[in-house]
Amino acid sequence: MGSGENKEKEKWGLDLNLSIQEEFSTGLGFQDFLGEEKEAENDHRGHDFGRGSDFRIRERDLAVETDDFTGSKRLRYTIEEKGKAKVDCGGSQVSPEIDLNLDLRGFEKDPVEGKMDTRPFEAELLGSGPVMHNFFPDRIERNTQVENYDVSRKDIVFEHRKEIALSSVRKRQSRRKEQKLMQREIARNVAPRFAHLGPQEQIKQHKEKKVKSREVDLDLDDSQSPFSMALEAIKMRQSFRKGSLTSFSESFFKQVPAKAEDCNVLKRDVPTLLDLSLKALAKNADAIVSLEHVPDKLRHRLSQLVSDCGVVDAQFVELLARGSPTEIRLRNISRLTEEEFAKIFSVCDTKDLTVLQLDLCGRCMPDYILRDTLARSSHRLPSLATISLKGAHRLTDIGLTQLAVSAPALQSINLSQCSLLTSQGISDFVSCFESTLRELYIDDCQNIDATIILPALKKLKCLEVLSVAGIETVCDNFVIGLVKACGINMKELGFANCVQLTDISLRIVGKNCPNLCALDLSYLHNLTDSALKHLANGCQSFRRLKLRRNDFRFFGSSTHDSDEAIAAFLEVSGQSLDTLSVNNIHRVAHNTAISIAKCSRNLVSLDLSWCRKLTDEALGMIVDCCLSLKLLKLFGCTQITEAFLNGHSNPRVRIIGCKTGPVLEHLDALEPQENPLRYSPLTSFC
């Protein structure tokens, strides 16, 4: 051995030239390991040991220079092999596995010898082998510091990961809690519609209604009012019918006209040549190449037929928008994409456009498409008077504001089922048309609070039509405030599904709306017979009335039922009616039938669905007396027989809803659409 090797031996007390077998046999442990570390340091001088990497030595990576494990040749280790090994010494296996998490950032050059200072490495090594503690007591303290450093670093990493995991769990729990609260709030709002009150609660609610109804009628002495007089006449007629004398109604019921022999020819309802031509065009709409010089009325009828066929595509919309159109009416454009809509209306000449109907346009018309097409610039729609965007579920307050700027002469707008619109957006829009807006439809806009938009609605000077169907916040106070401000001009009100309304609202309507022509009171369960009395005494110009699914329960000491009350109303205010719906009012019976036959002979459409107390004779009397009747709906009337269906003598009436009727062929007649601005002529504000 050279002098350098002797110094190393004196320094460490080990022979660094011994093989690993000799080291284990003499109990010297891993002294060759330390010698190899110095060789690795010399071979890899300049290598960056400051990365703090963890090296783990595995048995499969050992590089052995000899096939004879018991030979004298040394085992050579790479830098990755240090720290873990399994060896066989003297037939017994000694496997002190050492798993080192080495931190080499403490390796520095020795200032005296200019060599790499491997004491931190040695400290970790010696701390891993229990045998070495006997030989290197001066390294135990340094080894403990290194171990503490590694443990503290692992603890920091563990705590950091633990905090991330806990944060993620908290976020998930927070989202679930918010979703549960939202679902609970929705359920709380919807539950009253499906809840069934117990007997005690029903009695309590009935008493409250009775008190309210009495308060409403305290200041009324209506013994000589038209409704009261008609009601007394109906009661007298009812008493005659129950008596021994033969009443007018009873004799009337017996006289069911027989079917005329030549009635078959009249009942065929032969279509006109124009109707046949339009139907043929609608079925082959993809073959139409131009609608130039076609009048707006025929265009409208054709577009309705095409919509009913469900074939409204980009080609047909482009035909209607070509040139400089004055009307574009489309009831269903749900098949159009954003690209197709933008391509058609970005080049459309809209300077003469007065009527625009783009219902069910939610798929193709978000705010940014509206901004780039119809609302591209100020006064882009200078002549537009009426627009319908029913079902535009992607339209927001921003798009509505842009539309207000581009259409300054707007008089009618339909925003039904635009679920993203808010109270503030409607208030801002209405404030732009205080002197021009006549019709506003905001049905089923659930984000709108009626009490918030009320101040803006009160400022409308020309408001004639307002429909707030399905908005749950509509209450008596809203109706009272609105009608007192705008009732003198009001022609039509839509309150369907406004479940908070009571007789108090209709009392104010009857007092302040003398020119009211249309009223929708469907699905209002808090109304009593007094509501009909207030309407009959105050409003006698009704053309359309919808009372479907209302029981109109009598109150207090009243001795009349809903059948008598509806009959009395028709006796007073039924002369001008052309549309009447008493759908699902279970008490409707012969009194109502007689009043319809006597006083409502101008009816064009009549809905008696689910009125199962009406007989064949009663329906025969109605159909034969109302010669203007074109549509009769009898869904759910299972008591009707062939005696009525084949026995009446009105060739013009179309009966749908019976088991023998083809329902699917008459879907267009279920809810006929009304034209906008039907009460006032189109006014130019330019």
Side-chain angles (χ1 to χ4, degrees):
M1 290 189 299
S3 59
E5 294 177 351
N6 291 332
K7 290 181 181 180
E8 292 291 342
K9 185 175 181 180
E10 293 175 0
K11 178 179 179 181
W12 296 101
L14 299 170
D15 189 355
L16 302 181
N17 293 323
L18 293 178
S19 65
I20 188 169
Q21 293 84 0
E22 293 173 347
E23 290 173 8
F24 277 108
S25 63
T26 56
L28 296 181
F30 289 94
Q31 71 172 25
D32 190 54
F33 180 87
L34 300 178
E36 284 299 322
E37 175 58 29
K38 285 193 174 183
E39 283 189 18
E41 187 270 336
N42 293 330
D43 294 337
H44 302 282
R45 193 176 298 273
H47 184 72
D48 183 11
F49 292 101
R51 295 173 296 175
S53 303
D54 294 341
F55 299 93
R56 297 186 182 275
I57 302 175
R58 295 174 296 276
E59 181 181 3
R60 68 173 183 271
D61 296 326
L62 292 175
V64 183
E65 288 187 347
T66 177
D67 296 334
D68 186 5
F69 195 75
T70 60
S72 60
K73 290 187 178 182
R74 297 171 54 201
L75 292 173
R76 300 186 61 83
Y77 296 88
T78 64
I79 192 169
E80 293 85 359
E81 296 170 351
K82 306 214 172 24
K84 182 186 291 187
K86 284 188 179 181
V87 296
D88 187 9
C89 181
S92 63
Q93 188 174 5
V94 181
S95 57
E97 282 197 22
I98 304 172
D99 190 0
L100 293 179
N101 294 322
L102 302 179
D103 189 354
L104 303 181
R105 287 178 291 185
F107 285 24
E108 297 177 355
K109 293 285 185 178
D110 189 273
V112 178
E113 299 182 2
K115 297 181 179 180
M116 182 70 71
D117 184 7
T118 61
R119 283 176 294 178
F121 180 86
E122 297 164 7
E124 290 210 7
L125 174 66
L126 296 177
S128 302
V131 180
M132 291 304 179
H133 289 191
N134 299 327
F135 296 97
F136 305 104
D138 58 331
R139 297 290 185 257
I140 294 177
E141 183 176 358
R142 180 181 296 273
N143 177 61
T144 303
Q145 294 176 356
V146 174
E147 287 181 349
N148 291 337
Y149 170 76
D150 290 340
V151 171
S152 62
R153 185 180 61 179
K154 291 179 180 179
D155 290 342
I156 292 172
V157 173
F158 175 76
E159 291 296 331
H160 179 63
R161 293 177 178 175
K162 181 179 178 182
E163 185 63 29
I164 294 175
L166 290 176
S167 176
S168 178
V169 171
R170 291 191 197 101
K171 289 180 179 179
R172 286 199 301 269
Q173 291 177 346
S174 177
R175 286 196 298 268
R176 289 175 182 174
K177 187 175 181 180
E178 291 177 357
Q179 292 176 354
K180 288 182 179 179
L181 291 175
M182 185 181 300
Q183 293 173 355
R184 188 173 300 174
E185 185 65 24
I186 294 173
R188 185 181 294 110
N189 294 331
V190 175
R193 300 182 184 179
F194 305 98
H196 295 278
L197 300 177
Q200 295 181 353
E201 294 177 342
Q202 288 181 354
I203 295 173
K204 181 179 178 181
Q205 189 181 46
H206 180 69
K207 290 181 178 179
E208 292 177 354
K209 290 182 181 180
K210 189 173 12 176
V211 170
K212 287 184 178 180
S213 300
R214 285 176 178 174
E215 291 176 355
V216 171
D217 291 338
L218 279 178
D219 58 341
L220 293 179
D221 183 13
D222 60 350
S223 58
Q224 300 299 319
S225 66
F227 181 86
S228 298
M229 295 176 66
L231 188 60
E232 289 299 325
I234 291 172
K235 289 181 180 179
M236 187 178 297
R237 187 173 64 198
Q238 182 76 0
S239 63
F240 286 158
R241 181 174 179 269
K242 292 180 179 179
S244 58
L245 296 177
T246 302
S247 65
F248 169 77
S249 60
E250 195 171 11
S251 61
F252 214 122
F253 281 138
K254 289 181 179 178
Q255 297 175 0
V256 180
K259 182 177 177 181
E261 295 180 359
D262 56 345
C263 192
N264 287 331
V265 179
L266 298 176
K267 280 197 172 184
R268 289 176 186 171
D269 194 15
V270 179
T272 64
L273 182 59
L274 178 61
D275 293 336
L276 294 175
S277 301
L278 290 175
K279 289 182 179 180
L281 286 174
K283 292 180 180 179
N284 300 276
D286 54 343
I288 301 175
V289 295
S290 177
L291 292 176
E292 190 177 0
H293 305 304
V294 177
D296 289 334
K297 185 177 181 180
L298 292 182
R299 285 192 179 203
H300 178 41
R301 290 184 60 184
L302 179 61
S303 64
Q304 283 185 328
L305 292 172
V306 173
S307 298
D308 293 338
C309 295
V311 292
V312 177
D313 54 8
Q315 178 186 356
F316 184 76
V317 176
E318 194 273 333
L319 290 176
L320 293 177
R322 187 180 298 175
S324 183
T326 57
E327 291 187 7
I328 298 177
R329 301 193 185 192
L330 293 163
R331 293 194 299 184
N332 186 352
I333 58 171
S334 57
R335 296 178 59 181
L336 257 66
T337 63
E338 295 179 7
E339 295 77 11
E340 292 171 342
F341 186 91
K343 181 180 179 181
I344 294 171
F345 287 97
S346 60
V347 298
C348 178
D349 185 3
T350 58
K351 64 180 180 179
D352 297 326
L353 191 63
T354 58
V355 178
L356 180 61
Q357 181 182 5
L358 300 173
D359 291 345
L360 303 183
C361 57
R363 177 189 179 190
C364 61
M365 200 184 71
D367 286 347
Y368 56 87
I369 296 295
L370 179 64
R371 181 191 62 230
D372 296 338
T373 54
L374 298 176
R376 186 168 54 193
S377 61
S378 177
H379 293 70
R380 164 84 168 151
L381 303 166
S383 303
L384 189 66
T386 173
I387 185 172
S388 177
L389 301 177
K390 181 180 179 180
H393 56 81
R394 298 170 69 184
L395 179 67
T396 67
D397 296 343
I398 299 175
L400 192 60
T401 302
Q402 296 170 348
L403 183 62
V405 174
S406 63
L410 205 59
Q411 301 177 47
S412 173
I413 185 167
N414 189 342
L415 299 173
S416 301
Q417 301 172 16
C418 296
S419 55
L420 296 183
L421 297 181
T422 65
S423 305
Q424 188 61 45
I426 295 295
S427 299
D428 295 340
F429 177 82
V430 167
S431 62
C432 298
F433 303 96
E434 292 181 358
S435 59
T436 60
L437 192 63
R438 298 180 181 274
E439 299 179 357
L440 177 62
Y441 302 85
I442 50 175
D443 302 345
D444 300 311
C445 295
Q446 299 299 332
N447 285 333
I448 295 177
D449 190 333
T451 57
I452 295 178
I453 67 173
L454 179 59
L457 296 179
K458 287 182 178 180
K459 298 178 181 179
L460 296 176
K461 301 176 182 178
C462 304
L463 187 63
E464 296 177 343
V465 178
L466 177 65
S467 183
V468 290
I471 299 181
E472 297 180 355
T473 53
V474 173
C475 58
D476 290 337
N477 292 332
F478 170 81
V479 175
I480 292 171
L482 174 71
V483 169
K484 286 184 176 181
C486 308
I488 193 64
N489 297 322
M490 200 63 68
K491 299 293 194 307
E492 182 174 341
L493 289 171
F495 294 139
N497 263 319
C498 299
V499 294
Q500 296 188 45
L501 296 184
T502 65
D503 296 344
I504 299 174
S505 297
L506 297 185
R507 177 194 172 193
I508 302 300
V509 170
K511 278 188 174 183
N512 296 274
C513 301
N515 300 316
L516 194 64
C517 298
L519 183 63
D520 189 353
L521 299 178
S522 303
Y523 308 103
L524 304 186
H525 305 294
N526 293 327
L527 300 183
T528 67
D529 294 345
S530 290
L532 297 175
K533 177 177 62 177
H534 300 314
L535 292 175
N537 291 335
C539 307
Q540 299 182 6
S541 302
F542 280 113
R543 298 181 193 170
R544 290 182 301 280
L545 183 63
K546 295 181 180 180
L547 304 175
R548 69 170 65 113
R549 207 174 181 83
N550 281 315
D551 289 334
F552 293 110
R553 294 183 177 89
F554 59 88
F555 65 92
S557 59
S558 298
T559 58
H560 57 273
D561 59 14
S562 298
D563 183 37
E564 295 175 353
I566 294 174
F569 173 85
L570 294 174
E571 295 277 350
V572 176
S573 302
Q575 289 79 9
S576 57
L577 279 175
D578 57 45
T579 301
L580 175 64
S581 174
V582 289
N583 184 323
N584 222 320
I585 301 181
H586 302 295
R587 291 182 176 86
V588 166
H590 66 278
N591 286 317
T592 301
I594 294 173
S595 296
I596 292 175
K598 284 177 56 182
C599 306
S600 301
R601 299 191 176 187
N602 295 319
L603 280 175
V604 177
S605 175
L606 177 62
D607 188 357
L608 298 174
S609 300
W610 303 98
C611 297
R612 294 183 172 178
K613 291 186 177 181
L614 293 173
T615 62
D616 289 339
E617 292 80 5
L619 291 174
M621 179 182 61
I622 292 173
V623 171
D624 292 335
C625 292
C626 300
L627 299 179
S628 300
L629 190 64
K630 295 182 179 180
L631 178 64
L632 177 62
K633 303 177 186 178
L634 295 176
F635 292 96
C637 294
T638 55
Q639 78 280 8
I640 303 302
T641 65
E642 297 293 332
F644 160 69
L645 297 175
N646 297 324
H648 68 83
S649 60
N650 188 342
R652 302 181 60 185
V653 68
R654 180 170 57 171
I655 301 173
I656 63 173
C658 293
K659 57 184 179 181
T660 58
V663 178
L664 297 180
E665 294 182 7
H666 306 294
L667 290 179
D668 58 327
L670 296 181
E671 289 294 337
Q673 287 193 342
E674 299 290 344
N675 294 327
L677 298 176
R678 51 192 170 273
Y679 300 107
S680 300
L682 186 62
T683 306
S684 176
F685 294 94
C686 299

